[in-house]
Amino acid sequence: MTSAPQTLETVRIALDDRSYDILIGENLLGLPSTFQDLPKASAALIVSNTTVAPLYEAALKQALSDHFKVIHTVHLPDGEAYKDWVTLNLIFDGLLGHACDRKTVLFALGGGVVGDMTGFAAASFMRGVPFVQVPTTLLAQVDSSVGGKTAINHPLGKNMIGAFYQPQRVVCDLSVLKTLAPREVSAGLAEVIKYGPIADMAFLEWIDHNMDALKACDAQAMAHAVRRSCEIKADVVGQDEREAGLRAILNFGHTFGHAIEAGLGYGQWLHGEAVGCGMVMAAHLSQALGLIDAEFVQRLTDLIARAGLPVKGPVLDAADNAGHYLALMQHDKKSVAGDIQFVLIEGPGRARVSAAPEAVVRAVIDRCCA
Ligand code: NAD
Ligand code: GLY
């Protein structure tokens, strides 16, 4: 028997005929009603990984059995290092091996890695099949499952191969966060903190006051963090779905962060850890360019450290560390004709995207890495 959700909140992503709801509440993934009114199909395919499937797949399968005649499953190996072509192909093997058709609905049950790969598979299988995000990490609930970015990595750059493809629904079941390792909770908090300096200083204040509760996965604190993060992301994505401009602010900390991930080898630092440290570096760059003061940089750095995240960047190359970061950052998707673009804080709660003089960036990297 499944318990009913104690609370159920809905955030709408408004994108014309691609609009959808994010459902937020406890005990959602085991409830048949969570999956009502999805596109009609006889088959569903749940994509998960070897860690998450044993925890939550049976409950999801049970809930889906009210809506689909057959439910297939594919289990991917776990980890950022597997976010690649070879692993993506396992999803296509499952779809084709089970003779799935273009009505088959895919369900991404897992963190951002499973979500990004399942979304990309859904975008490309038979030129597009419906999919539902069931994010099971904090990071995936507050960011990666929302907004339709799907991708795999390339050794030369993070998330380089992918598509914009919106899910039919996002199901944020807060109960599943209880089994996350503390390091994964911290990684998710990086993307929660991100929304403060770029969009909502009151939210940053709230995070500051509730950091202990957030780290302990307190249900009420998590509910607010997920809802407010999704609201901010929904607002940005609703204005700029395909990142013509505004949406790039959601990449605060990511230019440095992606360089850290690619430079160390995917999976060494968690994505959220790299983003946390990348936000510190981007804040220093904003200060070096005269946009914010040292007090703001220190406040953000302290908050990121309290979340349990690294605030010093790794040395990627003892001979020319800044040069190595710069070379990696040139592969960033925001780069224009080789000019690296940074998300800078131009004032509390406001961000913009622009290039920066190389000498200033080098000095910031030297200062921020140890
Ligand atoms: P992840 O998917 O690797 O999950 C982290 C770990 O937690 C994994 O070992 C996973 O198996 C485990 N796990 C997941 N749910 C669990 C649960 N409930 N209990 C116990 N263990 C659980 O990492 P992530 O941090 O969720 O996502 C990172 C990925 O998301 C990166 O690849 C990043 O590029 C991507 N991302 C995408 C977007 C986007 O807009 N599409 C945004 C941000 C990040
Ligand atoms: N995570 C950044 C974005 O969705 O645009």
Side-chain angles (χ1 to χ4, degrees):
M1 183 139 146
T2 327
S3 16
Q6 286 151 7
T7 54
L8 174 60
E9 297 194 71
T10 303
V11 176
R12 182 91 175 148
I13 304 276
L15 291 170
D16 301 322
D17 59 348
R18 297 173 313 293
S19 300
Y20 54 95
D21 286 334
I22 305 167
L23 309 185
I24 304 166
E26 292 191 62
N27 305 313
L28 290 183
L29 72 74
L31 281 180
S33 57
T34 300
F35 303 101
Q36 264 166 7
D37 305 322
L38 287 170
K40 293 276 167 266
S42 59
L45 182 126
I46 301 173
V47 181
S48 192
N49 72 19
T50 49
T51 304
V52 179
L55 295 171
Y56 301 114
E57 189 181 82
L60 177 60
K61 219 170 164 182
Q62 181 64 39
L64 294 180
S65 65
D66 274 27
H67 304 289
F68 299 94
K69 277 201 202 107
V70 266
I71 299 156
H72 306 294
T73 57
V74 169
H75 297 166
L76 308 179
D78 185 3
E80 184 75 35
Y82 295 101
K83 195 178 169 185
D84 60 10
W85 278 117
V86 175
T87 311
L88 179 71
N89 216 29
L90 296 177
I91 306 178
F92 298 126
D93 289 347
L95 285 162
L96 291 163
H98 291 300
C100 291
D101 58 28
R102 51 170 41 139
K103 286 189 180 287
T104 303
V105 184
L106 269 62
F107 289 81
L109 175 68
V113 171
V114 166
D116 279 14
M117 293 178 77
T118 308
F120 189 28
S124 42
F125 182 65
M126 296 198 181
R127 302 198 181 92
V129 293
F131 87 112
V132 173
Q133 290 272 15
V134 188
T136 61
T137 61
L138 177 61
L139 185 140
Q141 295 194 355
V142 300
D143 191 358
S144 66
S145 66
V146 173
K149 280 190 180 176
T150 76
I152 55 170
N153 299 329
H154 185 281
L156 288 179
K158 174 100 176 130
N159 294 334
M160 278 294 152
I161 301 150
F164 284 99
Y165 193 67
Q166 300 296 340
Q168 301 288 320
R169 187 166 300 163
V170 179
V171 176
C172 295
D173 184 335
L174 302 167
S175 315
V176 305
L177 302 178
K178 290 178 189 132
T179 53
L180 280 177
R183 192 178 166 200
E184 298 294 349
V185 175
S186 293
L189 287 174
E191 301 280 17
V192 176
I193 291 170
K194 167 184 86 177
Y195 292 109
I198 64 166
D200 185 350
M201 287 302 289
F203 186 44
L204 196 73
E205 288 277 333
W206 179 88
I207 296 167
D208 204 346
H209 286 122
N210 290 277
M211 182 55 81
D212 293 342
L214 288 166
K215 285 176 81 174
C217 273
D218 170 81
Q220 272 191 328
M222 280 300 176
H224 182 72
V226 172
R227 183 176 55 75
R228 186 66 196 129
S229 299
C230 288
E231 282 171 352
I232 295 169
K233 184 152 187 185
D235 182 42
V236 172
V237 171
Q239 295 179 59
D240 180 20
E241 180 185 9
R242 298 177 75 92
E243 203 167 301
L246 175 71
R247 183 167 177 170
I249 66 168
L250 298 174
N251 285 320
F252 176 50
H254 288 57
T255 313
F256 290 107
H258 284 170
I260 293 171
E261 287 187 272
L264 289 176
Y266 298 117
Q268 293 303 305
W269 277 29
L270 301 178
H271 175 71
E273 292 171 339
V275 167
C277 182
M279 288 193 287
V280 174
M281 296 172 85
H284 276 283
L285 182 57
S286 307
Q287 185 201 348
L289 294 170
L291 299 170
I292 51 172
D293 58 24
E295 195 188 328
F296 187 85
V297 178
Q298 194 56 53
R299 186 176 165 206
L300 186 62
T301 306
D302 290 347
L303 189 62
I304 291 167
R306 278 178 61 216
L309 295 159
V311 291
K312 279 277 177 197
V315 175
L316 300 176
D317 181 339
D320 181 13
N321 189 45
H324 198 86
Y325 268 83
L326 285 163
L328 287 164
M329 290 192 294
Q330 259 157 8
H331 288 290
D332 189 86
K333 287 188 289 309
K334 292 186 295 305
S335 294
V336 183
D339 264 354
I340 304 164
Q341 305 290 312
F342 296 92
V343 181
L344 302 169
I345 302 304
E346 57 180 357
R350 284 182 295 120
R352 71 155 188 244
V353 181
S354 72
E358 184 178 317
V360 180
V361 180
R362 278 183 175 273
V364 165
I365 294 168
D366 288 344
R367 182 171 173 195
C368 292
C369 293

